[in-house]
Each structure stands twice: as C-alpha cells, then as structure tokens.
C-alpha cells in the first residue's frame, strides 16, 4: 500500500498547494492521499486561522482533487506538539507495512536533516520534492545526494509549481485574488478570517467555529445567546462587540470529545480545582483556553466571560454577568420564573445575578447534582453587594 502525506499549515490553502497535490496524484499511483493540516505548528507558531477553520478550508480546497484524498484532523486533535516523526509513527501504526511518501518543498529539503528525529523521518518515508525546472536544480541535486548518504530516500519531481504562498495572501489580501480558489475566498470573505479589523476577524471566525463545532441545537442556542447579550449590552452601555465574541465562543467546547475537553479545561487555570468541578461546568473553562490558544484572544473580559458563564464567580465584571444571564435566559429557554429574571436583567445586573444564581442552585440541588463552589461564592458575593442576608 502506497500512502502520500501532504502536510502544512494551510493558512489558507492556496493554488500552489493544489497544483503540488495534483502533480503528486499524476506522479504515482497512490492508494491513499492524506492531507494533514498542522495543529500547533512547531516551526510556525503564528497561524491566523484556528485549526478547525484551516481544516474546513483544506476540505474545501483539496477534497475533490481525487476520490482517495482524505483530510485528516490527527495533528489537530492528538494533544501533542506537531512533529513529522510523530505523524509518521501514527501512520505506521494505522497502516501496517505501508510505504509512506511525504510531499516537501525544495526549501524544506535543505533543512530536512535538522528536523526533530531527522534520522527516523529520513529512513521511514520517501520525500517527494516538487521543484520548478528553472529553480536551483544543481543545489537541490547536491542536497538530495548528501541526504541520500545519510539514509534518506529522496525523489525530486520537476513540475509546474505555482509560486505563491499563504503569507503572500495574508499580506496582499484583496490586492491579489488569484492566490486562493473562489470557494476558499468565499469562506474567507463571509467570515472575515483574515480581516485587518481584529474585532471583525474574531467575531466572524467565532461564528464559523460555532457552526463547525456545535450540533444544530447548540448552534441555535449560541446565536440566541449572542442576540440577548447584545441587547443587554446596549441597555447597560457595555462593549457589544466583546459581548458578541464571548457569546459566540461560550459553548464552543460543548460537543468536544472528553479527552480534549479535560485537556483544555486543565490548561485554563483551574488545574488545582479540576477534580472538584462538576462536569457540566468544565466546557466554559475549556472554551476559554480554546479562545486564547486558537484565536489568540488576550482580552481578560472576554476570557472571563467565557470561563465563568456556567457557574459564575465572586467579583464578576459586567460583561461576565451579561454572558451568564444571556446563557440562562435566552430565547429558547423555558422555565418558571424566566420572565421575571429577564426583566431584572434589563434593570439591574447585580439583582438579576443574585436571583438567577439562587434559582440555578435550587435547581441543581433538586436534581441531586453537585453544587459548584464557585457558584456558592458568587451568590455570597452578590448578596454582599445587595446587602442581602443568606
């Protein structure tokens, strides 16, 4: 069995990537072609688009090139730093006795012997180097010969390679629309994936992520939370755009696999409390880690609003209060007392938080579930602010 591995950040995937893959398909009869977007690139830490968006764009760009093309999410979901040797080990376990080929550019050829566990990489795959006929032929041949003496298997393929790059697209944007396909361009434009306006980029990317990662019911809930959060933000003269971003991301880890959920929750600053947190509250902490690591959000108001929306906390800021209340009181929620709590939320956020926390804690206790200590501390905090006696 012959397998071709084609990896890259694909931030975004462009016509050069497509041309290389088409040349590879024509070059050899591969049984399976695996396109693998990097999760956390070890050599390129500053991806603009989150992994899940790059995965979606890769599916759009490469999925129809050949029937045996598979877009793999392995590097984005294995909870490890991405190194090629690990990917090769994974493929060897997945496809025993397979002959693995790997696409690399001519620039990567010159650094191949410096990669992590380079000896393993060179001995366990054949590197297909796609190079333009008029570009550094002698240098490429010399480097391939040198690596061959070290045990590397190198095949240099002369091909018509489109000389564009993802960084060129991010730099030129609308000034050069020939770099990416129309289908990928439509995604980029609709969701402002590479907008120079950070707020527009975050809001658009968050909306696409919600659509990609959540089931239909949870996606509709997210849009309802965004709507109510914006309404409450207008009433209380808060930053509505921050509220929209936080609302779109608050449940982003709700449908995540358990191992990823726990991993991200532990990374979010509650590692010492993780054993004591009720399971139903963990997705907020995981979502905050996702927002910070994948979207590069550093704004503490947004991160805390995402993190505390399930359980509240002592010292909540107004944006946190709005997301907590919008999550509890949005359009599709239906329970006795909701209308009263919603009217309170429009009048006074502290009063609404106290009443909503009390209602939520009563519900949790009635179901026999574990009460979150953060919620108890939040109730005490708002009781003190309102001079209530518990």
């Amino acid at each position: 069995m012959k397998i071709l591995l084609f990896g890259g950040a694909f931030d975004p995937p462009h016509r050069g990537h497509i041309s290389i893959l088409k040349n590879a398909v024509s070059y050899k009869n591969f049984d399976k072609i695996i396109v693998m977007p990097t999760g956390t690139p070890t050599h390129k830490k500053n991806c603009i688009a989150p992994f899940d968006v790059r995965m979606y764009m890769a599916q759009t760009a490469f999925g129809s090139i050949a029937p045996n093309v598979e877009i793999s999410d392995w590097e984005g979901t294995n909870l490890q730093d991405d190194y090629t040797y690990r990917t090769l080990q994974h493929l060897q376990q997945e496809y025993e006795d397979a002959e693995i080929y790997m696409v690399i550019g001519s620039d990567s050829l010159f650094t191949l012997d410096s990669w992590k566990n380079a000896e393993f990489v060179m001995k366990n795959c054949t590197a297909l180097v796609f190079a333009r006929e008029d570009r550094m032929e002698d240098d490429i041949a010399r480097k391939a010969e040198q690596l061959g003496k070290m045990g590397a298997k190198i095949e240099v393929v002369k091909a018509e390679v489109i000389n564009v790059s993802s960084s060129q697209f991010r730099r030129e944007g609308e000034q050069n629309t020939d770099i990416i396909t129309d289908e990928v361009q439509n995604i980029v434009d609709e969701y402002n994936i590479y907008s120079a306006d950070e707020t527009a980029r975050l809001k658009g990317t968050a909306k696409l992520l919600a659509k990609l990662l959540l089931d239909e019911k949870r996606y509709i809930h997210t849009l309802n939370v965004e709507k109510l959060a914006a309404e409450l933000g207008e009433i209380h003269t808060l930053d509505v755009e921050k509220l929209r971003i936080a609302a779109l991301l608050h449940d982003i880890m709700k449908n995540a696999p358990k191992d990823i959920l726990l991993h991200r929750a532990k990374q979010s600053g509650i590692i010492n409390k993780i054993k004591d947190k009720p399971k139903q509250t963990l997705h907020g902490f995981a979502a905050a880690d996702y927002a910070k690591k994948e979207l590069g959000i550093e704004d503490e108001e947004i991160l805390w609003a995402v993190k505390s929306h399930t359980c509240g906390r002592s010292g909540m800021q107004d944006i946190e209060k709005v997301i907590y209340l919008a999550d509890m009181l949005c359009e599709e929620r239906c329970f006795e007392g909701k209308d009263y709590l919603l009217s309170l939320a429009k009048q006074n956020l502290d009063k609404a938080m106290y009443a909503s926390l009390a209602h939520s804690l009563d519900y949790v206790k009635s179901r026999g579930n574990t009460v979150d200590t953060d919620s108890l501390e939040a109730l005490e905090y708002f009781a003190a602010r309102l001079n209530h006696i518990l």
Side-chain angles (χ1 to χ4, degrees):
M1 183 180 192
K2 288 183 173 64
I3 293 176
L4 177 67
L5 171 64
F6 183 32
F10 304 127
D11 189 26
H14 52 66
R15 293 184 188 276
H17 293 135
I18 293 170
S19 124
I20 288 173
L21 191 56
K22 286 182 175 179
N23 276 305
V25 169
S26 301
Y27 175 71
K28 197 179 291 287
N29 185 26
F30 293 105
D31 298 289
K32 182 179 282 291
I33 299 168
I34 300 175
V35 177
M36 192 175 291
T38 49
T40 306
T42 54
H43 65 294
K44 193 184 298 184
K45 291 291 187 183
N46 297 319
C47 286
I48 302 297
F51 168 76
D52 296 292
V53 171
R54 291 184 285 113
M55 181 78 182
Y56 178 54
M57 291 191 291
Q59 290 168 336
T60 302
F62 306 123
S64 61
I65 286 178
N68 59 340
V69 170
E70 171 192 322
I71 316 299
S72 171
D73 68 351
W74 187 79
E75 286 196 357
T77 58
N78 64 20
L79 307 181
Q80 301 179 84
D81 283 337
D82 296 336
Y83 288 108
T84 300
Y85 81 90
R86 284 181 177 155
T87 299
L88 292 175
Q89 288 174 337
H90 164 71
L91 292 177
Q92 288 173 334
Q93 292 173 1
E94 193 79 6
Y95 305 98
E96 291 185 18
D97 302 321
E99 188 178 353
I100 301 173
Y101 292 75
M102 177 178 65
V103 173
I104 64 173
S106 55
D107 54 343
S108 295
L109 175 70
F110 292 101
T111 63
L112 183 58
D113 48 345
S114 67
W115 290 12
K116 184 81 169 179
N117 286 354
E119 185 177 350
F120 178 89
V121 173
M122 291 189 290
K123 290 184 177 179
N124 285 277
C125 74
T126 299
L128 292 187
V129 184
F130 286 85
R132 285 168 50 181
E133 293 186 10
D134 59 344
R135 191 178 181 190
M136 300 187 302
E137 290 184 51
D138 292 340
D139 291 339
I140 289 172
R142 278 193 294 270
K143 187 64 179 181
E145 183 180 1
Q146 175 196 341
L147 294 175
K149 292 177 180 178
M150 298 170 62
K153 294 171 284 185
I154 310 287
E155 294 184 21
V156 180
V157 183
K158 294 180 180 180
E160 291 292 329
V161 178
I162 299 174
N163 191 28
V164 295
S165 68
S166 298
S167 59
Q168 180 186 353
F169 172 81
R170 297 194 301 271
R171 186 172 60 251
E172 297 180 3
E174 294 179 358
Q175 299 173 31
N176 192 337
T177 57
D178 294 331
I179 295 176
I180 62 178
T181 65
D182 291 343
E183 293 79 9
V184 174
Q185 186 74 57
N186 289 339
I187 296 169
V188 168
D189 290 344
E190 182 176 356
Y191 295 101
N192 295 308
I193 304 301
Y194 298 102
S195 174
D197 181 334
E198 184 179 36
T199 297
R201 176 179 64 82
L202 291 176
K203 189 167 62 174
T205 303
K207 183 163 285 189
L208 175 56
L209 287 168
K211 190 173 184 179
L212 293 175
L213 298 181
L214 300 177
D215 59 40
E216 185 178 1
K217 181 179 178 181
R218 187 59 50 180
Y219 177 63
I220 291 171
H221 164 74
T222 294
L223 296 183
N224 287 340
V225 173
E226 180 196 13
K227 179 181 176 182
L228 181 54
E231 181 183 348
L232 293 175
E234 293 281 1
I235 291 171
H236 297 289
T237 62
L238 301 175
D239 189 325
V240 171
E241 296 307 302
K242 281 189 182 183
L243 285 166
R244 288 187 183 279
I245 293 167
L248 289 167
L249 292 171
H250 82 287
D251 269 357
I252 206 69
M253 288 283 100
K254 190 74 173 180
N255 297 138
K258 184 178 179 181
D259 59 337
I260 293 176
L261 177 70
L262 289 173
H263 175 77
R264 287 202 177 275
K266 288 177 180 178
Q267 302 303 309
S268 70
I270 60 165
I271 192 166
N272 295 327
K273 301 171 67 175
I274 192 75
K275 294 180 180 178
D276 301 323
K277 299 295 290 182
K279 291 180 181 179
Q280 65 269 23
T281 69
L282 293 180
H283 69 273
F285 295 90
D289 181 72
Y290 185 94
K292 185 171 185 176
K293 303 281 179 58
E294 293 289 334
L295 282 87
I297 293 176
E298 298 289 345
D299 189 299
E300 288 296 326
E301 287 187 310
I302 294 175
L303 295 176
W304 270 114
V306 172
K307 191 181 295 187
S308 67
H309 84 270
T310 59
C311 51
R313 68 178 181 110
S314 175
M316 290 176 78
Q317 301 300 303
D318 283 348
I319 283 182
E320 292 179 74
K321 299 170 194 175
V322 167
I323 296 300
Y324 180 97
L325 293 167
D327 178 50
M328 183 175 181
L329 305 173
C330 64
E331 188 176 323
E332 86 280 3
R333 301 291 198 195
C334 184
F335 59 88
E336 187 176 351
K338 175 193 165 181
D339 291 342
Y340 168 70
L341 293 175
L342 185 56
S343 68
L344 269 184
K346 293 177 180 180
Q347 297 167 30
N348 185 296
L349 292 176
D350 286 349
K351 290 180 179 179
M353 281 301 306
Y354 176 80
S356 296
L357 282 162
H359 183 281
S360 179
L361 286 168
D362 285 344
Y363 176 76
V364 169
K365 291 173 185 176
S366 72
R367 304 271 297 200
N369 293 328
T370 303
V371 173
D372 194 300
T373 55
D374 282 339
S375 296
L376 293 173
E377 291 172 5
L379 187 66
E380 292 174 0
Y381 169 76
F382 286 106
R385 283 177 68 87
L386 298 168
N387 296 315
H388 288 342
I389 298 175
L390 292 178

